[in-house]
C-alpha cells in the first residue's frame, strides 16, 4: 500500500493517487479502524480512488460498527451503511446515511468484490 490505513483518518487528502491506500487483489478486501474507545458513530465518509479504476476498486462497500476486534467476518458488527455497485465517478465520495448513531470502537470497511480495494480518505462523524 502507498499509505497505511491509519493515515486515512489523518485529515489530510490532496486528491493525489500516491496519498491513497490499496490492498492486494483478494476476495472481499477490508480495512478496520480502531477508535481507541467506544464512541457514537452516526456517519462515515469514504473517498474513492481518483481515476477510472474506482468503478472496479471501490464497489459494494459495507461499513459496519463493532465493539470488539475481529477480522474478515464482520457479521456481528452493526451495519452503518452499504454502497451497491461501483463508484460512478473517479474520486467518488460515499457517505453513510444513518438516522441514528451506533456505538462501537471498531469501524470495518469492506468491499465485496474480488479486486484490490482502493480508498483515499475517511472521515468518521
Amino acid at each position: 500500500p502507498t499509505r497505511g490505513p491509519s493515515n486515512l483518518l489523518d485529515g489530510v487528502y490532496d486528491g493525489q493517487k500516491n496519498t491513497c491506500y490499496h490492498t492486494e487483489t483478494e476476495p472481499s478486501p477490508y480495512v478496520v479502524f480502531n477508535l481507541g474507545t467506544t464512541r457514537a458513530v452516526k456517519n462515515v465518509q469514504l473517498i474513492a480512488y481518483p481515476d477510472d479504476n474506482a468503478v472496479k476498486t471501490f464497489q459494494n462497500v459495507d461499513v459496519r460498527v463493532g465493539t470488539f476486534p475481529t477480522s474478515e467476518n464482520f457479521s456481528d458488527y452493526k451495519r452503518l451503511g452499504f454502497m451497491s455497485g461501483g463508484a460512478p465517478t473517479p474520486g467518488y465520495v460515499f457517505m453513510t446515511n444513518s438516522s441514528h448513531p451506533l456505538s462501537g470502537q471498531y469501524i470495518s470497511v469492506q468491499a465485496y468484490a474480488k479486486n484490490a480495494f482502493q480508498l483515499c480518505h475517511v472521515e468518521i462523524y
Side-chain angles (χ1 to χ4, degrees), residues 3-13 19-21 31-36 39 41 43-47 63 105-109 119-125:
R3 296 175 69 204
S6 62
N7 290 340
L8 295 170
L9 295 171
D10 65 7
V12 177
Y13 177 58
T19 62
C20 298
Y21 169 78
V31 61
V32 176
F33 302 100
N34 182 345
L35 303 178
R39 298 177 188 254
V41 178
N43 287 304
V44 174
Q45 178 179 288
L46 308 171
I47 299 178
V63 180
Q105 180 175 336
Y106 300 91
I107 309 284
S108 69
V109 180
L119 185 59
C120 293
H121 189 68
V122 177
E123 292 186 15
I124 299 171
Y125 303 100

Side-chain angles (χ1 to χ4, degrees), residues 16-76:
Q16 301 299 310
K17 293 182 209 178
N18 65 349
T19 62
C20 298
Y21 169 78
H22 63 85
T23 67
E24 298 298 322
T25 299
E26 58 187 285
S28 303
Y30 65 91
V31 61
V32 176
F33 302 100
N34 182 345
L35 303 178
T37 187
T38 299
R39 298 177 188 254
V41 178
K42 186 165 184 180
N43 287 304
V44 174
Q45 178 179 288
L46 308 171
I47 299 178
Y49 208 63
D51 73 10
D52 291 337
N53 282 331
V55 71
K56 293 185 290 188
T57 62
F58 192 88
Q59 60 178 314
N60 303 319
V61 177
D62 193 16
V63 180
R64 292 178 176 259
V65 178
T67 57
F68 56 89
T70 189
S71 61
E72 295 185 36
N73 181 357
F74 302 102
S75 61
D76 288 335

